Amino acid sequence: MNVLKVRWWTIGIFVLPCLLLYIMMVFVPIVVSGYNSLMLWDGIGPNKTFIGLENYRNILFNDPYFWPAVKRTLMYAVFSMLEIPVTLLFAILINRYVRRGNTLVSIYFMPVILSVVIIGQLWKTIYNPLDMGGMINGILNSIGMEEHMTAWLSSPKFAMYSLYIVSLWQYFGYHLLIQYTGVQNIPTDIYEAAKIDGADGFKADRYITLPLIVPVFKISIVLAFIGSLQAFDLIMVMTGGGPAHATDVISTLMYNSTFQEYKYGYGSALAMTLVIICLVFTVLINSVFKRVENKVS
Amino acid sequence: MESIKKGVVYLLLAVLVVTQLYPLLWLILYSFKTNEEILSGSFFALPQNPRFANYTEAYEAGNYLQYLFNSVFVTVITMVVVIILASMTAYAISRFRWKLAPVALLVFLLGLMIPMQATLLPLMTMFSKIDILNTRWSLILPYIAFQTPVAIFIMSGFMKGIPHEIEESAFMDGASVYRIFRSIIMPISVPPIMTVCILTFINIWNEYILAATFISSERFKTLPFGVNSFVSQYAVNYGNIGAFLVMGAIPVILIYFILSERITKGMVAGAVKG
Amino acid sequence: MEKQIRKSEKNESANRRPLKKTALILTAGVLAVGLAACGSSNSNGGNESANNSSATNTGGTSGGDSGKKVTITFQNIYPDATSPANKMMKELVAQYEKENPNIKIELDSLNTDQQKLKLKTQAASKEVPDITIVNPAAQMKPFVDAGLLAPLNDMLDQNGLKDTFQKGLLDYYSFNNNVYALPDGNNIEVVYYNKDLFAQAGITDVPKTFDEMLEDVKALKAKGITPIAIGEKDTWTGSFLFMNILLRTNGGPGFLQDVLDGKKDFNDPAFTEATDAFQELVQAGAFPEGATSIDANAGGNIFKTGKAAMFIIGSWETGNIDASSVAGKVGAFSFPTVNGKGDVNQFMLAPGSGFAVSANSKHLQETKDFLNFFMTNYPKKQFELKNAVGSGQIIEGDFKAAGYSDLAINILDMFKQVTGGDLAFDNTMKPAVAQAHLSSIQNLFVQKVESKQAAKEHQDAFAANK
């Protein structure tokens, strides 16, 4: 409930500086992109032709790489979101069993801080074929499962899953941190009160932790979702979208059309499509959570 | 029974410590290896003769100090401005009574969904028109704008939970809304501010695409340029990259550990209260 | 319940007071430093006027010298300070700045991918730097068509610069009789091979035909040696090799040109035959496992660390190979004939990246003067730094006496045999077609494809992007 009734220009003073900058730097460019998405343009010369929604039509109906990329992008999002309950479980465990949980959570956070260049190099040494010292294949080899050895990042079948795993690993600490903070911020006196009523351990978790954590859970879900839709750097570093488009997601397709194929209008249309998908799903997630929240309280 | 459970949990947590901390160790080893050792690519191997030259070369060739200064400069300004602007906006959105508040929040949340690469060319055109290409402003301005949505998201969640009595009593004493914001709201909001700090920092410290596109002068280039300067047309200097990455990661890790105690509390402190 | 939570929160924040204060002081301090630095960053202030006087005293040698301090931005792709190209560039720039104190050359050194992206973005807002890097033929055409590059004809006539270039080389950078860029090199695709590894596999002579090459691949594979090094994450590497096969199966150069001219299409037997031959290499296990996730550089290093027997790449690698651990063990030969077709004296030609000048440069004359100086001295510097194999300019000098390796001499001799050849795919076709081609070839590395299917992919992409 908002309380303060202030004059309109006070609101202006508080909001406008930020809003103006934001509109200039984020909104105007995306509107320009929206305009460009209606053009046939190589992004270099003065020759811009208005073609209406032709680019969008081509994306939806003629681009053989678009729908597979959408599927991979959404899979990415689903995997990332499935990770959140796991991090919540860990948050609860750490909160219960570890005295200096903060430090532990900080350590788990480490991969988020490191540059994606490092992450990519490291995981390549894990996925590499045996003769390049790949760890997984080395292990498979030593336990006599040679037949399962694969060049993971070069296999159209496994490459994308290999990338999901890296992402899950990297962002584990990020979401753990969010969940852990949420768990910690539930005051202990509530649990004490519950204990008197006979609710203890996991029972207490079910009736106290879970309902109170819902808003935090939502933040994680939204951030995980949006983050994975825009996943780009890691894929570029590790596979570049290959082999033969097997790891392309919407953002890498967009990059390729814009900067490699010199189809600026088409790339802009892909960007707008990505924004729209983001928007639709975020609204969807929000409404689901509203229902859950209402039920819980 | 309880002790077995405990044991399993500890084991699990310990395994995770190894997997999450290993990259750091790996990077440090990497930074002392020769190109040949790196390319032979064994996962666990120690460098045979630690090659300290990687560091001296990276330090000299990578323009470390200049880039470090620029990175710190850009990042700190961005952080400070993001905090000021985002907390002001979050305050107005979460505490003032005006009809458009939810709309304003929505508009900012939209920013979370916009891929940075899509804004590259329009920003280039704009910066060229207002003549700030190849200045620090061409980095600071978009960085601020792209970081404010998350900041507002987190801060407004927190501020919603601040009890109204605090403001009311201050009002009674005749304090202006600016004063209340400055001397009451901001101090209370330190935890989410710390959270915003670390998130902003992480996002900007490694940013390269905007930086490489808008900056051309050595004087303004940031640390990611250093890493990429060891990749030339037909060769890559892996050892130097490793050394440079270590030198680039040290400030991040330092700052992170200074702030981390704060952020675990601040991240979503407000959200729980909803 | 809500109240309780709030209360505990309040207590916590009260405990944090001291930190808040330090943070505030810290930010205030940084802000002050920051503002000062921002202020000084935008103008070069006093330095300029100080330099002005010295400029008039010594008198610059370049034309268009008005005594004003001029800054020329030189975007380039030589960022690694430990590489010869970077050293050469810095030395020449320093020399020029010394002789022309009113000129300042600002180096914007980026790696190749980033430079492409940057130039592309700059081009859209007509912010092309004074000097930039473009790739020959089809790749630079959009920039020329958009009127972004300045013709360099007049400047080529100064100091006899034009005559230093190899005959015909500038054609790749010319449109409507205007030269728009000056190449940093001119290379051919060769097969480097490791003599020791060949001996280990019992191979006595270099392959003369594709079938012999396949035999050698199998012999090497049987010994556990990677036959051909490649890093196919950067898709141009596989394409470059594939095009060499096509150059043979087509019985000579010009296949892509014929397609462009409408005389042939990708369903032509020459193309499917090349695809089949290429797949035979893949099936024989010629390439390292997981090639599609290996960077071009890392791929080359498989050869340079003595783990692969052959490396089919541009002659620009000569210097790098001589500086690697396999130096002295490496020879080179020309790609063999395929099914009896083709001529071994025809090569895939790789005219280098070109230095181009922005048509909108504020200091067009000064920039051209500098580039003239740079290119005039370029070959000599390259020669000194032992980096002159694959130079685009005529070099007077005894390579052997200057200490060039046997491999380098070997490559230089191969240059003399060249009777013709083709340009890389992406230098011939439009970018969108090139991308389709590149990923189609990458696909051959991971799965068997009907050659008709590959041809169709090419033809469809070509038809869609006419």
Side-chain angles (χ1 to χ4, degrees):
Chain A
M1 187 64 211
N2 302 346
V3 276
L4 294 181
K5 186 104 181 90
V6 292
R7 269 157 299 196
W8 62 269
W9 48 265
T10 311
I11 297 175
I13 288 174
F14 273 91
V15 177
L16 277 185
C18 189
L19 191 64
L20 283 180
L21 186 70
Y22 172 77
I23 286 179
M24 281 285 285
M25 295 293 139
V26 180
F27 238 71
V28 169
I30 207 70
V31 170
V32 173
S33 271
Y35 170 78
N36 283 329
S37 74
L38 308 175
M39 301 287 160
L40 183 66
W41 185 35
D42 65 358
I44 297 177
N47 295 329
K48 263 192 200 182
T49 325
F50 181 84
I51 52 168
L53 295 174
E54 187 67 20
N55 282 327
Y56 291 93
R57 213 177 61 86
N58 281 333
I59 288 174
L60 295 178
F61 303 112
N62 294 334
D63 189 331
Y65 305 116
F66 176 70
W67 289 108
V70 169
K71 193 185 129 208
R72 281 187 284 265
T73 307
L74 291 180
M75 289 266 285
Y76 215 124
V78 168
F79 277 114
S80 315
M81 293 194 289
L82 285 179
E83 187 181 28
I84 313 293
V86 179
T87 57
L88 174 60
L89 177 69
F90 271 92
I92 292 172
L93 288 177
I94 291 173
N95 192 42
R96 179 163 310 157
Y97 291 110
V98 183
R99 198 161 302 148
R100 284 190 53 97
N102 270 336
T103 317
L104 196 60
V105 172
S106 303
I107 289 173
Y108 291 159
F109 194 73
M110 196 57 79
V112 184
I113 317 180
L114 293 178
S115 143
V116 73
V117 183
I118 306 176
I119 306 284
Q121 284 291 339
L122 168 72
W123 277 84
K124 274 192 173 182
T125 66
I126 294 177
Y127 286 134
N128 270 340
L130 185 64
D131 54 2
M132 292 177 76
M135 186 191 75
I136 296 180
N137 288 320
I139 292 173
L140 288 175
N141 187 41
S142 61
I143 59 171
M145 295 174 68
E146 293 92 344
E147 72 272 17
H148 293 293
M149 294 199 303
T150 304
W152 301 99
L153 289 173
S154 303
S155 143
K157 215 157 81 202
F158 297 115
M160 199 64 218
Y161 291 95
S162 309
L163 290 174
Y164 295 146
I165 289 172
V166 181
S167 253
L168 291 184
W169 167 83
Q170 191 185 3
Y171 283 96
F172 177 81
Y174 185 84
H175 294 296
L176 177 64
L177 176 76
I178 298 179
Q179 300 307 312
Y180 181 70
T181 314
V183 171
Q184 275 221 310
N185 276 327
I186 299 170
T188 42
D189 31 3
I190 301 184
Y191 288 103
E192 273 152 28
K195 212 169 187 174
I196 297 167
D197 295 341
D200 202 2
F202 285 104
K203 208 169 181 188
D205 286 329
R206 225 191 105 195
Y207 293 107
I208 300 169
T209 318
L210 289 187
L212 283 177
I213 205 82
V214 170
V216 181
F217 202 75
K218 185 176 105 180
I219 292 187
S220 254
I221 291 277
V222 171
L223 288 180
F225 179 77
I226 293 173
S228 52
L229 283 205
Q230 296 187 0
F232 174 74
D233 299 5
L234 186 75
I235 298 176
M236 287 315 270
V237 168
M238 294 195 69
T239 61
H245 298 285
T247 55
D248 258 332
V249 293
I250 304 178
S251 59
T252 57
L253 274 187
M254 173 181 105
Y255 177 87
N256 268 330
S257 327
T258 314
F259 296 109
Q260 309 279 2
E261 298 188 351
Y262 292 46
K263 289 179 173 174
Y264 193 84
Y266 195 78
S268 299
L270 277 168
M272 297 308 289
T273 315
L274 183 60
V275 173
I276 292 166
I277 294 179
C278 252
L279 200 65
V280 168
F281 277 90
T282 310
V283 169
L284 215 72
I285 292 172
N286 253 317
S287 67
V288 167
F289 269 94
K290 248 196 200 121
R291 215 171 282 167
V292 173
E293 273 169 60
N294 286 339
K295 230 179 228 167
V296 172
S297 61
Chain B
M1 185 60 202
E2 184 60 22
S3 66
I4 296 176
K5 232 201 272 172
K6 233 178 172 171
V8 172
V9 170
Y10 283 148
L11 186 71
L12 213 60
L13 294 178
V15 169
L16 272 175
V17 169
V18 174
T19 61
Q20 305 303 99
L21 215 50
Y22 184 72
L24 211 59
L25 176 70
W26 177 83
L27 176 64
I28 291 167
L29 291 180
Y30 188 100
S31 70
F32 287 109
K33 289 182 181 177
T34 62
N35 257 357
E36 277 74 24
E37 282 174 318
I38 288 166
L39 289 159
S40 63
S42 192
F43 187 69
F44 294 106
L46 293 171
Q48 293 218 312
N49 294 310
R51 190 170 183 274
F52 291 97
N54 283 342
Y55 278 87
T56 50
E57 280 169 20
Y59 179 81
E60 282 159 20
N63 235 340
Y64 180 68
L65 286 183
Q66 173 82 59
Y67 291 172
L68 179 68
F69 172 79
N70 292 336
S71 272
V72 169
F73 181 89
V74 167
T75 311
V76 169
I77 298 271
T78 306
M79 268 162 46
V80 170
V81 179
V82 163
I83 287 159
I84 294 172
L85 290 185
S87 52
M88 278 165 60
T89 310
Y91 184 56
I93 287 178
S94 59
R95 312 290 287 185
F96 293 169
R97 190 178 299 165
W98 51 305
K99 260 192 216 132
L100 292 177
V103 179
L105 185 62
L106 197 76
V107 166
F108 280 109
L109 285 189
L110 209 61
L112 278 175
M113 296 157 207
I114 289 170
M116 229 192 211
Q117 301 97 319
T119 62
L120 208 54
L121 204 150
L123 283 181
M124 184 86 183
T125 317
M126 185 193 302
F127 290 169
S128 134
K129 285 208 178 95
I130 56 176
D131 205 19
I132 59 164
L133 273 180
N134 199 19
T135 69
R136 292 188 224 272
W137 297 116
S138 62
L139 292 186
I140 293 172
L141 292 179
Y143 284 173
I144 293 171
F146 272 99
Q147 295 309 316
T148 41
V150 183
I152 292 174
F153 191 41
I154 290 172
M155 304 269 302
S156 66
F158 178 88
M159 287 179 178
K160 257 186 205 146
I162 301 174
H164 302 308
E165 297 87 48
I166 299 180
E167 281 158 308
E168 274 158 23
S169 63
F171 247 138
M172 299 295 182
D173 298 344
S176 72
V177 65
Y178 309 103
R179 193 94 199 253
I180 293 174
F181 175 71
R182 205 176 56 234
S183 347
I184 299 176
I185 301 296
M186 283 299 267
I188 298 182
S189 307
V190 168
I193 287 178
M194 288 303 156
T195 308
V196 169
C197 268
I198 193 95
L199 290 185
T200 309
F201 187 86
I202 289 168
N203 287 338
I204 290 172
W205 193 254
N206 292 323
E207 201 288 323
Y208 183 52
I209 293 186
L210 288 192
T213 310
F214 297 145
I215 299 294
S216 300
S217 296
E218 278 299 300
R219 282 178 301 163
F220 306 130
K221 286 182 176 175
T222 50
L223 281 175
F225 278 91
V227 174
N228 288 283
S229 75
F230 298 108
V231 182
S232 55
Q233 203 174 3
Y234 301 118
V236 179
N237 228 324
Y238 295 96
N240 288 358
I241 292 183
F244 201 90
L245 284 173
V246 170
M247 295 196 294
I250 288 171
V252 194
I253 292 166
L254 278 181
I255 296 211
Y256 174 68
F257 271 99
I258 292 169
L259 295 182
S260 68
E261 279 290 296
R262 312 279 123 204
I263 67 157
T264 36
K265 293 268 162 83
M267 187 84 187
V268 277
V272 178
K273 281 129 241 161
Chain C
M1 195 145 76
E2 289 227 328
K3 271 233 166 88
Q4 279 173 329
I5 305 173
R6 276 183 199 145
K7 213 160 114 199
S8 68
E9 180 52 46
K10 220 158 85 188
N11 289 340
E12 270 173 28
S13 52
N15 292 339
R16 290 211 189 95
R17 277 270 151 70
L19 184 105
K20 180 209 90 195
K21 212 165 218 168
T22 17
L24 266 179
I25 294 168
L26 214 88
T27 32
V30 171
L31 205 59
V33 174
L35 289 175
C38 244
S40 69
S41 62
N42 283 342
S43 70
N44 298 4
N47 280 347
E48 283 188 20
S49 47
N51 281 340
N52 280 350
S53 53
S54 66
T56 23
N57 287 344
T58 45
T61 48
S62 73
D65 180 358
S66 57
K68 263 202 308 200
K69 183 90 182 171
V70 167
T71 302
I72 295 171
T73 308
F74 183 1
Q75 189 177 78
N76 64 79
I77 47 174
Y78 314 118
D80 183 359
T82 57
S83 72
N86 182 284
K87 277 181 201 142
M88 176 257 338
M89 173 179 72
K90 282 206 179 121
E91 279 174 27
L92 284 177
V93 164
Q95 191 185 337
Y96 193 76
E97 282 180 337
K98 205 168 140 221
E99 288 168 16
N100 303 273
N102 63 325
I103 307 277
K104 167 141 183 31
I105 313 285
E106 180 113 69
L107 293 172
D108 184 14
S109 311
L110 300 161
N111 55 35
T112 321
D113 292 342
Q114 207 57 48
Q115 188 268 338
K116 268 189 188 167
L117 189 150
K118 181 166 186 171
L119 177 64
K120 183 107 207 315
T121 312
Q122 288 173 321
S125 39
K126 299 210 182 308
E127 281 285 339
V128 177
D130 298 312
I131 300 177
T132 186
I133 304 279
V134 292
N135 284 306
Q139 287 203 62
M140 66 185 282
K141 191 163 183 294
F143 296 93
V144 175
D145 289 345
L148 293 166
L149 306 181
L152 302 173
N153 302 17
D154 51 342
M155 173 271 238
L156 271 166
D157 291 334
Q158 287 169 29
N159 303 328
L161 179 58
K162 191 171 193 173
D163 298 329
T164 68
F165 286 97
Q166 289 163 7
K167 226 178 111 205
L169 179 59
L170 290 176
D171 294 348
Y172 299 121
Y173 308 85
S174 302
F175 299 85
N176 305 321
N177 295 323
N178 286 324
V179 181
Y180 288 96
L182 307 179
D184 71 346
N186 183 27
N187 285 283
I188 53 174
E189 184 172 19
V190 299
V191 186
Y192 294 102
Y193 72 106
N194 186 318
K195 292 174 185 165
D196 287 7
L197 295 180
F198 264 45
Q200 269 180 45
I203 304 166
T204 48
D205 201 8
V206 298
K208 296 279 187 302
T209 68
F210 190 72
D211 290 332
E212 284 177 32
M213 193 178 214
L214 275 176
E215 286 309 311
D216 295 345
V217 162
K218 285 169 192 157
L220 288 159
K221 190 80 187 162
K223 287 276 173 200
I225 300 164
T226 303
I228 302 174
I230 197 164
E232 174 65 8
K233 178 173 176 256
D234 298 307
T235 45
W236 62 265
T237 51
S239 162
F240 202 35
L241 170 52
F242 171 83
M243 288 302 292
N244 212 331
I245 302 178
L246 180 61
L247 176 66
R248 297 286 181 262
T249 55
N250 191 47
F255 179 83
L256 293 181
Q257 196 54 50
D258 287 349
V259 173
L260 282 172
D261 296 343
K263 290 183 208 152
K264 280 182 184 164
D265 66 24
F266 284 103
N267 299 313
D268 192 275
F271 190 84
T272 48
E273 196 180 342
T275 314
D276 286 331
F278 188 82
Q279 299 212 61
E280 278 183 71
L281 276 181
V282 175
Q283 299 304 324
F287 302 111
E289 216 189 326
T292 59
S293 57
I294 304 175
D295 303 332
N297 295 315
N301 278 308
I302 300 175
F303 180 78
K304 286 177 228 164
T305 49
K307 289 198 172 137
M310 285 180 269
F311 186 26
I312 306 178
I313 200 81
S315 49
W316 59 74
E317 286 286 357
T318 307
N320 293 334
I321 290 172
D322 280 335
S324 76
S325 61
V326 292
K329 300 175 193 164
V330 176
F333 58 91
S334 152
F335 198 85
T337 58
V338 180
N339 304 335
K341 291 177 192 158
D343 175 353
V344 290
N345 289 330
Q346 289 168 346
F347 290 82
M348 285 303 295
L349 308 175
S353 307
F355 301 100
V357 173
S358 165
N360 302 319
S361 167
K362 287 190 190 99
H363 313 288
L364 192 56
Q365 193 53 49
E366 286 89 342
T367 306
K368 282 183 181 173
D369 288 336
F370 165 70
L371 190 57
N372 185 287
F373 164 86
F374 188 84
M375 291 313 294
T376 314
N377 290 279
Y378 189 81
K380 216 176 85 207
K381 268 275 182 288
Q382 291 275 70
F383 185 73
E384 283 168 17
L385 288 164
K386 297 228 177 71
N387 204 25
V389 174
S391 166
Q393 285 156 290
I394 297 154
I395 292 181
E396 310 287 341
D398 188 342
F399 281 82
K400 201 146 204 159
Y404 275 80
S405 70
D406 289 345
L407 176 65
I409 306 291
N410 184 351
I411 298 282
L412 287 166
D413 287 340
M414 287 169 81
F415 270 103
K416 290 177 195 149
Q417 300 165 17
V418 179
T419 58
D422 265 335
L423 292 187
F425 197 102
D426 52 3
N427 285 335
T428 316
M429 290 281 176
K430 277 188 179 170
V433 186
Q435 288 305 314
H437 157 78
L438 291 171
S439 87
S440 176
I441 297 297
Q442 195 188 37
N443 195 25
L444 300 182
F445 279 84
V446 291
Q447 55 196 336
K448 184 122 180 57
V449 178
E450 277 298 316
S451 55
K452 284 217 171 65
Q453 181 57 34
K456 188 178 174 296
E457 280 169 27
H458 280 77
Q459 188 58 34
D460 289 351
F462 179 70
N465 291 289
K466 251 184 185 154

